[in-house]
Amino acid sequence: MTRTAVIAGVGPGLGESLARRFVTEGCQVGLLARSANYLDGLSADLGEDALAVPTDVTKRAEVEAAFDAVREAFGPVDVLVNHASGGAWKGVTDITPAEFDDALAVSARGGLLCSQAALPDMLDGNGGTIIFTGATSAVRGRGGAAGFSAAKFAVRGLAESMARELGPRGVHVAHVVIDGQILPPGAGSNGLPRGRDEYLDPDEIAASYWHLVEQDESAWTLELDLRPHVEEF
Amino acid sequence: MTRTAVIAGVGPGLGESLARRFVTEGCQVGLLARSANYLDGLSADLGEDALAVPTDVTKRAEVEAAFDAVREAFGPVDVLVNHASGGAWKGVTDITPAEFDDALAVSARGGLLCSQAALPDMLDGNGGTIIFTGATSAVRGRGGAAGFSAAKFAVRGLAESMARELGPRGVHVAHVVIDGQILPPGAGSNGLPRGRDEYLDPDEIAASYWHLVEQDESAWTLELDLRPHVEEF
Amino acid sequence: MTRTAVIAGVGPGLGESLARRFVTEGCQVGLLARSANYLDGLSADLGEDALAVPTDVTKRAEVEAAFDAVREAFGPVDVLVNHASGGAWKGVTDITPAEFDDALAVSARGGLLCSQAALPDMLDGNGGTIIFTGATSAVRGRGGAAGFSAAKFAVRGLAESMARELGPRGVHVAHVVIDGQILPPGAGSNGLPRGRDEYLDPDEIAASYWHLVEQDESAWTLELDLRPHVEEF
Amino acid sequence: MTRTAVIAGVGPGLGESLARRFVTEGCQVGLLARSANYLDGLSADLGEDALAVPTDVTKRAEVEAAFDAVREAFGPVDVLVNHASGGAWKGVTDITPAEFDDALAVSARGGLLCSQAALPDMLDGNGGTIIFTGATSAVRGRGGAAGFSAAKFAVRGLAESMARELGPRGVHVAHVVIDGQILPPGAGSNGLPRGRDEYLDPDEIAASYWHLVEQDESAWTLELDLRPHVEEF
């Protein structure tokens, strides 16, 4: 089965691993991110099953245009990964209101806009899958990261609300709690500040995202966590 | 001990009960809300220990001016209740991005701005208490309430982050999960759509808020839930 | 209002602080624990409002006899604190099945037996309060403490089940998550391995237990957490 | 890769689906349950890759003998599913202490005993996977099911404790929250009290269990939930 997927907020690391895995599984993939340069390189590498669409996911018109472009190239959207994340890593005494707003806009508003752009396709009888990338700070507010915690919590609340609303209508919404650091792109086993087994391998994270896409509607997961086996938690 | 308290987002119902209880306990209370008319009536009723400060809590300059006014009238702020809440009760397929943003702005951004305005007083050696009013939708995203769920989750994430950052510095941050409907203002036992015991009495909620204010720093609560004894949950 | 309270698993530390606070608030208190010696000393100290009843809370007949003794001395039971806890602090590779069973028996079975002994009084139109003492390991299984974690989780599951069953019948069931170390009995500010502000003061914990007892049925708490303000969590 | 798996508490429904899936994936499977009759039929059906070992998982000697039998037939154990569950579905006012104990013994003690029997193989440099079958009542105590809730919570606490202890040693411990009713064995689309899409298909649940087994140690899941897409939750 060929699926059309959109990865919103793609970048080196997990976003890129998701794109590669999805293409390997037969998807055609729309790649949304701010940086046109990065996207062009990645889509060239992935070939004709990938489409680079430079997009600021916080801007409604840009998001709608991006989904139109993907739709035109590959057909209705079946899978959306809301992967964009941002915001200063600052505590309540340091963060500016603008930085706080920005964290919420990229993660929560961006997730809403992309979901709203994708849903007409999914609710048209075909169903679909929407996965939100979360973090430990989505389930446990982190001291010194007020904006990031608020934004990640907001995304989880949005995902849960959407799962309850959309599940009966055939759209699978899931939230993945990534607990730990992801292996930096291009990292060999040397040159890392910590041992390699202390990092999540983004290709292995992608395997669990793909499992969520493949789940039958009789047994859907709303949330799973992922961490390296040596992670203290 | 006389304390200066600010209730941000006061209104008939719980906000008003909090104001009355705090005054009864010897606090001087700054009342922040958008509606000047309502605030004037309430402050007149509460007497000289209350100050009405019409404020849009999503606007930084207004918030700072409001806290300055309270400080000038009553001295440094000891207690802040972030009680403002808003946003359309709509699902992901219906809510507009502007309505979604508004929900986040009132609850999360408003909570941040008020906290940042209060914290200089609290971190100046006196300590203090900041309580966020939460809801069931802060711990369980509700289908059909995408903006409200995202906003309430965001507030909880902010509260947890602040609690971890500020606890060691002497500021107690707490989050109250109110699970159920609060008795409407002026309701007698007749004229309610449900039996009176299905509602939370706002005066009784206020008793638990006051308990949080009074807790000794050796045994602080981050979160408690409150519901009527007959509530299904 | 005079209440009859039972503290099951009383000992130096929090159990004793609870007993003192409850007596101060006008309760007559039945003290249940295995050690007759300790109980005799404490009840002598507390005076005629306390009754020492040496009891193994894992034994049904002993528990029933203990509640009969309290009932005979002080009347129907209004408040029960299930405070007994036990079990080796060992991981899955070390703990013996007997140690594991023992942890579950003291905390979970003991909590059931005491609740079942108290409930006839509470369901007889008078209502009542049952508080379970929990720990961080009740919400987050601790590595190296397999039996303790299983037991503390079991207690929380029991408490939640009871809260949902008994709330509509007028019995308030609550679970307190104590996160951190309690100040050892008789500790001055010297001689502690950590700074005094790193410990929970048991008298202050008792203040929150008492608040739970006093809550009006329109706004009951199922769960609250307590920790020292400097605790990392 | 051929793996040796043990399913403790196998029965018609999910246990059987797990056994079939595991055999399909190349595992050799030890089947543990009380009923010899049922096990014989299932193992005959599965063929030479299945071994029926009638076992009461609450009895240490029986469990150890069962694992020895599996080990002798198929070699060291790589995968264990702790699937046994039991206990009367009764509230706190109805359940007998013996019924309560039984619920804890089958789920929690049984899970401990089987894990302790399997761990020597897994900690001997080969790693392994231990999956606990949970339920909604493991994360939300159910009114009217005091023993079941306590037992399911206990299992979750045990699983979390084990995950933290054993992860760094190469053993993956996971807990699956099954939220909803599983399709009864042999059910066609007729004759069900509810629509077929309101049930979890056990074969699809087994797909997620198998995904957990296959996860790379750089990205392990501790917990995931599974429910039919139409389930209200």
Side-chain angles (χ1 to χ4, degrees):
Chain A
M1 172 183 176
T2 300
R3 290 182 178 93
T4 299
V6 169
I7 302 172
V10 76
L14 178 53
E16 188 165 325
S17 289
L18 291 170
R20 290 187 193 285
R21 174 67 184 247
F22 284 16
V23 167
T24 301
E25 297 287 351
C27 295
Q28 295 182 299
V29 183
L31 307 170
L32 277 54
R34 287 194 201 176
S35 163
N37 271 359
Y38 169 71
L39 284 185
D40 287 343
L42 178 60
S43 69
D45 193 35
L46 289 171
E48 59 185 13
D49 288 327
L51 180 73
V53 195
T55 312
D56 178 344
V57 297
T58 68
K59 302 241 159 67
R60 187 181 190 175
E62 290 192 32
V63 169
E64 289 178 350
F67 277 78
D68 285 342
V70 173
R71 222 173 261 124
E72 192 173 337
F74 300 139
V77 175
D78 303 292
V79 179
L80 165 64
V81 178
N82 284 311
H83 187 60
S85 186
W89 198 276
K90 293 184 178 177
V92 66
T93 54
D94 291 325
I95 197 168
T96 67
E99 289 168 332
F100 186 83
D101 290 348
D102 187 55
L104 286 169
V106 173
S107 296
R109 179 184 165 89
L112 178 81
L113 292 177
C114 291
S115 300
Q116 289 187 326
L119 277 171
D121 292 353
M122 298 180 180
L123 293 173
D124 200 24
N126 306 305
T129 306
I130 299 176
I131 304 177
F132 289 86
T133 297
T136 307
S137 297
V139 291
R140 188 178 163 285
R142 179 187 293 264
F148 187 70
S149 299
K152 284 299 189 185
F153 266 70
V155 164
R156 189 175 183 236
L158 175 61
E160 287 192 12
S161 172
M162 286 173 53
R164 292 190 166 91
E165 178 180 347
L166 299 173
R169 302 181 68 186
V171 178
H172 180 192
V173 180
H175 180 255
V176 179
V177 176
I178 296 179
D179 182 15
Q181 278 207 276
I182 299 175
L183 196 66
S189 52
N190 298 325
L192 290 169
R194 294 191 281 171
R196 187 174 182 127
D197 65 352
E198 296 185 47
Y199 295 89
L200 292 120
D201 182 333
D203 292 342
E204 300 298 340
I205 300 174
S208 283
Y209 277 64
W210 186 250
H211 176 68
L212 291 170
V213 172
E214 294 265 51
Q215 281 184 327
D216 181 83
E217 69 179 12
S218 83
W220 277 350
T221 292
L222 167 56
E223 186 166 273
L224 59 79
D225 52 335
L226 293 169
R227 66 180 58 77
H229 78 107
V230 297
E231 182 80 8
E232 280 191 46
F233 67 106
Chain B
M1 172 184 177
T2 300
R3 289 181 178 95
T4 299
V6 169
I7 301 172
V10 76
L14 177 53
E16 188 166 324
S17 288
L18 290 170
R20 289 188 194 286
R21 175 66 184 247
F22 284 15
V23 167
T24 302
E25 297 288 350
C27 295
Q28 295 181 299
V29 183
L31 307 170
L32 277 54
R34 288 196 201 176
S35 164
N37 270 358
Y38 168 72
L39 284 185
D40 286 344
L42 177 60
S43 69
D45 193 35
L46 289 172
E48 58 185 13
D49 288 326
L51 180 72
V53 194
T55 312
D56 178 344
V57 296
T58 69
K59 302 241 160 66
R60 187 179 189 175
E62 290 192 32
V63 169
E64 289 179 350
F67 276 79
D68 284 343
V70 173
R71 221 173 262 125
E72 191 171 339
F74 300 138
V77 175
D78 303 292
V79 179
L80 165 64
V81 179
N82 283 310
H83 187 60
S85 187
W89 196 277
K90 293 183 177 177
V92 65
T93 54
D94 292 324
I95 197 167
T96 66
E99 289 168 333
F100 186 82
D101 290 347
D102 187 55
L104 286 169
V106 174
S107 296
R109 179 183 164 88
L112 178 82
L113 292 177
C114 292
S115 300
Q116 289 186 326
L119 276 171
D121 292 352
M122 297 180 180
L123 292 173
D124 201 23
N126 305 305
T129 305
I130 299 176
I131 304 178
F132 289 86
T133 298
T136 306
S137 296
V139 291
R140 188 179 164 286
R142 179 187 293 264
F148 186 69
S149 299
K152 284 298 188 185
F153 267 71
V155 164
R156 189 175 183 238
L158 175 62
E160 287 192 12
S161 172
M162 286 173 53
R164 292 190 167 91
E165 178 180 346
L166 300 173
R169 302 181 68 186
V171 178
H172 179 192
V173 180
H175 179 254
V176 179
V177 176
I178 296 180
D179 183 15
Q181 278 207 275
I182 299 174
L183 195 66
S189 53
N190 299 325
L192 289 169
R194 295 192 280 171
R196 187 172 182 128
D197 65 353
E198 297 184 46
Y199 295 89
L200 292 119
D201 182 333
D203 292 342
E204 300 298 340
I205 300 174
S208 282
Y209 276 63
W210 186 251
H211 175 68
L212 291 170
V213 172
E214 295 265 49
Q215 280 185 326
D216 181 83
E217 70 179 9
S218 84
W220 276 351
T221 292
L222 168 56
E223 187 166 272
L224 59 79
D225 51 334
L226 293 169
R227 65 179 59 77
H229 78 107
V230 297
E231 182 79 8
E232 280 190 44
F233 68 106
Chain C
M1 173 186 177
T2 300
R3 290 182 178 92
T4 299
V6 169
I7 300 172
V10 76
L14 177 53
E16 189 166 323
S17 288
L18 290 170
R20 289 188 193 286
R21 174 68 185 246
F22 284 16
V23 167
T24 302
E25 298 287 351
C27 295
Q28 295 181 299
V29 183
L31 307 170
L32 277 54
R34 287 194 202 177
S35 163
N37 271 358
Y38 168 70
L39 284 185
D40 287 344
L42 177 60
S43 69
D45 193 34
L46 289 171
E48 58 186 13
D49 288 324
L51 180 73
V53 194
T55 312
D56 178 344
V57 296
T58 68
K59 302 241 160 65
R60 186 180 190 173
E62 290 193 31
V63 169
E64 290 178 349
F67 277 78
D68 284 342
V70 173
R71 220 174 261 124
E72 192 172 339
F74 300 138
V77 175
D78 303 292
V79 179
L80 165 64
V81 178
N82 283 311
H83 186 60
S85 187
W89 197 275
K90 293 182 177 179
V92 65
T93 55
D94 291 325
I95 197 167
T96 67
E99 289 168 333
F100 185 83
D101 290 348
D102 187 54
L104 286 169
V106 174
S107 296
R109 180 183 163 89
L112 178 82
L113 292 176
C114 291
S115 300
Q116 289 187 326
L119 276 171
D121 292 353
M122 297 181 181
L123 292 173
D124 201 23
N126 305 305
T129 305
I130 300 177
I131 304 177
F132 289 86
T133 298
T136 306
S137 296
V139 290
R140 186 179 165 286
R142 179 187 293 264
F148 186 70
S149 299
K152 284 299 188 184
F153 266 70
V155 164
R156 189 175 183 236
L158 175 61
E160 287 192 11
S161 172
M162 286 173 53
R164 292 190 167 91
E165 179 180 346
L166 300 173
R169 301 181 69 187
V171 178
H172 179 192
V173 180
H175 179 256
V176 179
V177 176
I178 296 180
D179 183 15
Q181 279 207 276
I182 299 174
L183 196 67
S189 53
N190 299 324
L192 289 169
R194 294 191 281 172
R196 189 175 182 125
D197 65 354
E198 297 184 46
Y199 295 89
L200 292 118
D201 181 333
D203 292 342
E204 301 297 340
I205 300 175
S208 283
Y209 276 64
W210 186 250
H211 176 67
L212 291 169
V213 172
E214 295 265 50
Q215 282 185 325
D216 181 83
E217 70 179 10
S218 83
W220 277 351
T221 291
L222 167 56
E223 186 166 274
L224 58 80
D225 51 337
L226 293 170
R227 66 180 58 76
H229 77 108
V230 297
E231 182 79 8
E232 281 190 45
F233 67 106
Chain D
M1 173 183 174
T2 300
R3 289 182 177 93
T4 299
V6 170
I7 301 172
V10 76
L14 177 52
E16 189 166 324
S17 288
L18 291 169
R20 290 188 194 285
R21 174 68 184 246
F22 284 15
V23 167
T24 301
E25 298 288 352
C27 294
Q28 295 182 298
V29 183
L31 307 170
L32 277 55
R34 287 194 201 178
S35 163
N37 271 358
Y38 168 72
L39 284 185
D40 287 343
L42 177 60
S43 69
D45 193 34
L46 289 171
E48 59 185 13
D49 288 326
L51 181 71
V53 194
T55 311
D56 178 344
V57 297
T58 69
K59 302 241 160 67
R60 186 180 190 175
E62 290 193 32
V63 169
E64 289 178 351
F67 276 79
D68 284 342
V70 173
R71 221 173 262 125
E72 192 171 338
F74 300 138
V77 175
D78 303 292
V79 179
L80 165 63
V81 178
N82 283 311
H83 186 60
S85 188
W89 197 276
K90 293 183 178 176
V92 66
T93 54
D94 291 325
I95 197 167
T96 66
E99 289 168 332
F100 186 83
D101 290 348
D102 187 54
L104 286 169
V106 173
S107 296
R109 179 182 165 89
L112 178 82
L113 291 176
C114 291
S115 300
Q116 289 186 328
L119 276 171
D121 292 352
M122 298 180 180
L123 293 173
D124 200 23
N126 306 304
T129 306
I130 299 176
I131 304 177
F132 289 86
T133 298
T136 306
S137 297
V139 291
R140 187 179 163 286
R142 179 187 294 264
F148 186 70
S149 299
K152 284 297 188 185
F153 266 71
V155 164
R156 190 176 183 234
L158 175 61
E160 287 192 12
S161 172
M162 286 173 53
R164 291 190 166 91
E165 178 181 347
L166 300 173
R169 302 182 67 186
V171 178
H172 180 192
V173 180
H175 179 254
V176 179
V177 176
I178 295 180
D179 182 16
Q181 278 207 276
I182 299 174
L183 195 67
S189 53
N190 298 325
L192 289 169
R194 294 191 281 171
R196 187 174 181 127
D197 65 353
E198 298 184 46
Y199 294 90
L200 293 120
D201 181 333
D203 292 342
E204 300 298 340
I205 300 174
S208 283
Y209 276 64
W210 186 252
H211 176 68
L212 291 170
V213 172
E214 294 266 49
Q215 281 185 326
D216 181 83
E217 69 179 10
S218 82
W220 277 351
T221 292
L222 168 56
E223 186 166 273
L224 58 81
D225 51 334
L226 293 169
R227 66 180 58 76
H229 77 108
V230 298
E231 182 80 8
E232 281 191 44
F233 68 106

